[in-house]
Amino acid sequence: PMATPTTFTTLGAIHDLPSNDDVLDRLKALARNILPQGWRDWTLINSIDLDFSVDSTVLNKLQFALPADGIARAFDPAATGLKEHPYKDMKIKMLLLAHKRTIYLLVDSTSMVYHPIFLYRLTSLEMYTKLMRVLGINQAQPSDFYIQGPNNIHVVVTDELVNHIKDESMFSVDIVQDMNGSEHYKLVLKPIGCQAPPG
């Protein structure tokens, strides 16, 4: 699969993104009080462009630029101590704070194993790119992308539709190759369970 182009941002730009999360707001306040002058101009790789995950075996080696006691109080303002296992959970939660929505994709109905897809930008391109990656299909191959709607109609996936998908929605996927033998695909996401199609 083709790699997604890497973009750069600044720590200040990330800090200024709106949030509706009390923990994230407290972490931002901690950063403002702890980090050295000029921290807003630090240049970073925009992690939403990466297939980003941290192996659990290396999680204990992961270091943050914020003090552990401050992180603990961001999650629990009344905290007076910090144990290893809760701190590991905090690290995982901090890595996931930026994502806005998770969908679960059932690729093989015989195994009943779901693949999580973490969405940050809530755009059709982001969802399409990550779906193709999970399916192992070259992103350069032309494909039509739909979600199954009422009465089994195929609804074109747009940014607005992705914004209306509920968090932790589950889908199966049908992959239909062009009958003419070309490498053109039709991808159809089918909602699983009693959830209503987005709209």
Side-chain angles (χ1 to χ4, degrees), residues 73-138:
R73 281 192 289 273
F75 282 88
D76 178 9
T80 58
L82 182 60
K83 296 182 179 178
E84 181 179 347
H85 184 72
Y87 186 49
K88 185 176 181 179
D89 289 342
M90 289 175 194
K91 287 182 176 181
I92 294 171
K93 289 175 183 175
M94 286 174 67
L95 293 172
L96 296 176
L97 276 173
H99 95 281
K100 296 179 180 177
R101 204 148 304 157
T102 305
I103 62 172
Y104 295 98
L105 187 66
L106 179 64
V107 177
D108 180 4
S109 59
T110 58
S111 67
M112 293 304 292
V113 173
Y114 288 80
H115 297 261
I117 295 178
F118 300 107
L119 300 177
Y120 297 82
R121 291 180 171 148
L122 300 183
T123 65
S124 57
L125 177 61
E126 178 193 26
M127 186 172 176
Y128 171 81
T129 300
K130 293 186 175 182
L131 176 65
M132 296 289 272
R133 188 180 297 147
V134 168
L135 296 174
I137 299 173
N138 190 326

Side-chain angles (χ1 to χ4, degrees), residues 4-8 45-46 49-50:
T4 304
T6 299
T7 59
F8 295 87
I45 292 175
N46 206 339
D49 291 326
L50 305 176

Side-chain angles (χ1 to χ4, degrees), residues 7-79:
T7 59
F8 295 87
T9 187
T10 64
L11 193 54
I14 293 173
H15 171 279
D16 294 342
L17 291 173
S19 74
N20 295 309
D21 186 288
D22 291 340
V23 171
L24 183 54
D25 289 339
R26 288 192 286 267
L27 288 168
K28 287 181 178 182
L30 179 63
R32 290 193 300 270
N33 293 326
I34 293 295
L35 296 180
Q37 187 174 0
W39 64 268
R40 292 185 58 87
D41 298 322
W42 291 356
T43 302
L44 310 169
I45 292 175
N46 206 339
S47 63
I48 62 176
D49 291 326
L50 305 176
D51 187 13
F52 187 72
S53 62
V54 175
D55 191 311
S56 59
T57 59
V58 300
L59 191 61
N60 288 335
K61 300 176 183 178
L62 189 63
Q63 299 292 318
F64 290 93
L66 301 175
D69 61 336
I71 292 172
R73 281 192 289 273
F75 282 88
D76 178 9

